[in-house]
Amino acid sequence: VLENKISNLELFPNPASQNLTLNISDEHSVSTIHITNLQGKTLKTYSGFQENVSVSHLSNGLYFLHVQFANGETVVKKIMKQ
């Protein structure tokens, strides 16, 4: 698991209340996106690239957004739901 290795991955706003917007230069290389809680439980999975990721279903708190690429790399970003 790599944190912030791919610098061309941006997400905003963070903290978010409804939706996160992902900005990835090579969006076609994204295979899956997962949101997990602090215990590692997957709460939501998206297949392929999603520009807008809903966080409205989450309770306020800290989560992780895992972006898995076709080459096997995974980038993890901390996200805050408020």
Side-chain angles (χ1 to χ4, degrees):
V1 174
L2 308 169
E3 174 141 9
N4 301 329
K5 182 180 182 213
I6 300 173
S7 59
N8 59 357
L9 184 137
E10 300 173 331
L11 69 142
F12 54 90
N14 194 11
S17 59
Q18 296 294 317
N19 291 300
L20 283 167
T21 300
L22 272 67
N23 185 0
I24 302 172
S25 64
D26 188 11
E27 59 194 48
H28 299 293
S29 67
V30 174
S31 59
T32 57
I33 298 171
H34 304 279
I35 298 175
T36 63
N37 63 15
L38 296 178
Q39 291 75 38
K41 180 181 178 187
T42 299
L43 305 174
K44 185 74 175 174
T45 299
Y46 296 93
S47 180
F49 176 73
Q50 300 290 316
E51 183 176 5
N52 294 301
V53 175
S54 175
V55 294
S56 61
H57 63 285
L58 301 173
S59 300
N60 290 354
L62 183 64
Y63 298 88
F64 294 103
L65 182 84
H66 302 254
V67 180
Q68 186 169 21
F69 292 87
N71 66 3
E73 290 185 3
T74 300
V75 175
V76 180
K77 296 274 194 172
K78 294 177 190 172
I79 57 173
M80 178 69 73
K81 166 64 166 52
Q82 68 176 17

